[in-house]
Amino acid sequence: MGFFDKFKLSRLKEGLTKTRENIFGKIQKILSGKTKIDDEVIDKIEEILIGGDVGVSTTLMIIDDIRKRVKAEGFENPEDLDRLLREEILKILSNGTDNNTNPFTLPVSHKPHVIMIVGVNGVGKTTTIGKLAYNYRNAGKKVLIAAADTFRAAANEQLEIWAKRAGVEIIQQTQGADPAAVAYDGLNSAISHKSDLLIIDTAGRLHTKINLMEELKKIKRVLQKLDPEAPHEVYLVVDASTGQNAIQQAKQFTAAVGISGLVLTKLDGTAKGGVILAINQELQIPVKYIGVGEKIDDLQPFDRKAFVEALFEK
Amino acid sequence: MAFFISILQVINNLLLPVFEELTQKLEGVFKKLRGQGKINEANVAESLREVRRVLLDADVNYKVVKQFIEDVQKRSVGQEVLTSITPGQLIVKIIFDELVKLMGTAQVEMRYASIPPTIIMVAGLQGSGKTTFCAKLANHLKSKGRYPMLVAADVYRPAAIDQLEMLGKQIQVPVVAERGRGAVEIAVDSIDKARKAARDVLIIDTAGRMHIDEEMMREVETIKTKISPHEILFVVDSMTGQDAVNTAKAFHDKLNFDGVVLTKLDGDTRGGAAISIRAVVSKPIKFVGVGEKLDALEIFHPDRMATRILGMGDIVSFVEKAQERYDEQKAKKLEEKIRKSQFTFEDFLDQLHEIKKMGSLQQLMSMIPGMNRLPSNVTLDDKALVGVEAVIQSMTREERQKPQIINGERRKRIATGSGTSIQEVNKVLKQFSEMQRMMKTFSKGKMPRMLRGMQVPK
């Protein structure tokens, strides 16, 4: 068994290197000796972008822009085209996406800072909150979590474990309680305990469920009774393996509670999360963090360059 | 049904019927080809470009789409275009048939063990909905007269065991919940526990894992080898994009699973992943998850799924939604009225309120896949409804019941009262009479045009 496994593992790695070389190799081969973009090149770019969940519209737009630039600037070799491609994608991402160099600081203008976490079911909201709380606490902030997912069985217990791991306090009520009431309690407590940061967990909900979206609006309204500026941030958590539906998610959650940033989770798999390009293109919502694993320190500030690099890998 | 029709009518008056989007696009392409008796390579290529776009927008994998288009092209070329239908309709039919074929026939039965317990193992990525599905499946089997037992073998995710325990309590199904032991041990020992407790189906909930996590994939493989499940189900989120092929293939290579479960189909995803997965592993989709309640489990309908992926709208879900929100008795009364041609402005107002209860028009539309891509000149404005409502509310009781008495004077008064214009009042009156006329036709057993348009050509 042992030998067999080792054999397979090395085979897998070999396989991965092979695919990586193949695509790069192919682009090189296709481009060699060419000074204009033909169908073959377009096909290849399309395959990479659409295959990375960038979506047809955004892909076509990128290709169109590149065509225009090639017409104006020309290109000498594959490296040039590669550079153009990357630049165009970075341009889309710069729509509101900063390079988040100092990720776990808080504005000094107010206290507590309130972050509300929303998203559809199973994207990794609770895990993200655990990681956020841990990072902010490490940065010397006093953090409180409010467990406003009162719907899913054992959501409380799950968040409690994460709070313990992060070493922060948590406010919760029983399952089935009014989530707005939990959020209100949380903010009240954060104010009286002089917390720097309150993170509010909400239940996963499909953006098409009207009642549940109304519930989210209510949470926001209730928070504003205590602090008219709250929540200062609303993060939409998006699973990197999600396809074009993420655009609808972003639209509907924005319409309901106004999204200020995205957290792209599960980027440690083979999914590329290219749909954030389309979201950036349409809604200009910056990506704040990426999740790359289940451990508490597997949360990183979003890095545009690294993201584009990964899009073209493998 | 009457309620549904009238909602559609209201919507129809506000926006273009886009249900036939794909067919219409193809019609455009084929317009210039009328009179050509056969589909040939040249004329099919253009229309298939549209189809390709539709499939990619629905998240069907790039390579799968490529192959699919090639297949359809081969099948289409040389087909006679019958005079009864247009070439566009024929192409759509061929594509629809191919998609249905690709996804397999309706539900394939589960394998039960001759000597109980039947062991069902559930696996998938994190967050795909395994735990909820396990509880739903247990609930489903219980209603079929089986005696299921749930096994919490996800020892990694915080509180996963608690979650399954709570769900088990809700549906009154026993749960094997052992903390501090390894997943393999728990699974192996549960077989004996099921026998002792006289449970005939064992449902094992495994931890979510990344398909490239070698160690975790080895664990799930070990569980499989040790317990020899009769049925292995792979759970996948219906919102998954291009990566669906990679995960399905990786899990299949390790587990050779028997069937697929497609979750979260109650949203507005087009669900192209269903096609991608079928194309790479050719295993049937056995169940679909359509909600968070524990009875929200359905068997898979390939034809409904094909309609959805092609963006023709999952009209069934839309009707269900309308029904769910509507008072049965009210609906009956309304039907009665329609039959007797007594539908008044009072009833219309009532309907507007019902629509409001269901949410904004935008949200309502978002339930219908394909509707998301409305042409930009179509605005979905709830204010339009507000205006209509104001006009009706400014009518007297008598006017609402007998709109024919609304003369010029009255129109002026209504316009002032509702803060609108005479033109708007006229528009509402016209809409209403159109609606009445359509309802009459409907009550005589004829289908309104829009409903016909939504059906897939057979």
Side-chain angles (χ1 to χ4, degrees), chain A residues 5 9 46 50 53 57 121 151-153 158 206-207 209-211 241 243-245 266 268 270, chain B residues 52-53 59 126-127 157-159 163 166 211-212 214 218 239 241-243 264 266 268 292 325 358:
Chain A
D5 280 340
L9 187 68
E46 241 188 49
I50 293 177
D53 285 317
S57 313
N121 317 66
F151 178 79
R152 188 169 59 94
Q158 188 183 349
L206 289 178
H207 49 290
K209 306 272 167 169
I210 294 142
N211 299 343
S241 67
Q244 300 308 298
N245 193 251
K266 307 183 199 176
D268 47 330
T270 44
Chain B
R52 177 176 177 270
R53 167 88 195 241
D59 290 322
Q126 290 98 336
R157 182 165 61 95
Q163 188 186 353
M166 286 182 190
H211 53 291
I212 51 166
E214 276 292 308
R218 211 152 37 225
M239 294 180 275
Q242 298 286 318
D243 201 43
K264 308 180 204 172
D266 46 332
D268 59 355
E292 292 189 80
R325 287 306 181 105
M358 288 171 67

Side-chain angles (χ1 to χ4, degrees), chain B residues 3-177:
Chain B
F3 166 60
F4 173 54
I5 300 284
S6 60
I7 285 190
L8 276 186
Q9 181 61 24
V10 173
I11 291 167
N12 196 15
N13 283 335
L14 295 171
L15 36 98
L16 296 168
V18 284
F19 291 100
E20 292 183 277
E21 200 184 309
L22 176 63
T23 319
Q24 272 171 3
K25 269 189 196 159
L26 297 186
E27 285 307 317
V29 172
F30 274 96
K31 217 165 233 168
K32 46 190 176 226
L33 301 170
R34 287 265 156 74
Q36 297 187 11
K38 273 182 186 172
I39 295 174
N40 61 42
E41 245 166 85
N43 63 27
V44 81
E46 198 178 341
S47 66
L48 286 180
R49 249 197 301 279
E50 288 294 343
V51 176
R52 177 176 177 270
R53 167 88 195 241
V54 167
L55 294 177
L56 288 174
D57 276 339
D59 290 322
V60 183
N61 182 269
Y62 185 84
K63 284 177 187 153
V64 174
V65 171
K66 209 168 174 181
Q67 184 62 48
F68 180 76
I69 295 290
E70 273 169 29
D71 291 349
V72 171
Q73 186 149 15
K74 265 184 220 142
R75 235 203 90 181
S76 317
V77 172
Q79 287 239 7
E80 303 275 343
V81 178
L82 303 171
T83 41
S84 58
I85 55 167
T86 63
Q89 281 174 326
L90 181 62
I91 290 274
V92 171
K93 183 182 151 41
I94 292 171
I95 287 155
F96 181 79
D97 288 349
E98 285 293 315
L99 283 183
V100 173
K101 211 170 80 188
L102 190 63
M103 283 184 286
T105 44
Q107 191 221 17
V108 184
E109 273 302 307
M110 294 224 285
R111 273 190 308 201
Y112 289 104
S114 46
I115 306 160
T118 298
I119 304 167
I120 302 170
M121 179 173 150
V122 178
L125 296 177
Q126 290 98 336
S128 52
K130 288 174 298 302
T131 307
T132 307
F133 167 71
C134 284
K136 284 181 182 177
L137 181 63
N139 194 35
H140 169 78
L141 293 174
K142 195 180 149 207
S143 73
K144 295 253 175 224
R146 304 253 166 199
Y147 297 90
M149 181 180 233
L150 287 159
V151 182
D154 177 359
V155 296
Y156 304 99
R157 182 165 61 95
I161 298 177
D162 302 83
Q163 188 186 353
L164 196 65
E165 238 180 343
M166 286 182 190
L167 293 174
K169 215 171 273 168
Q170 278 177 36
I171 53 171
Q172 293 168 330
V173 167
V175 179
V176 176

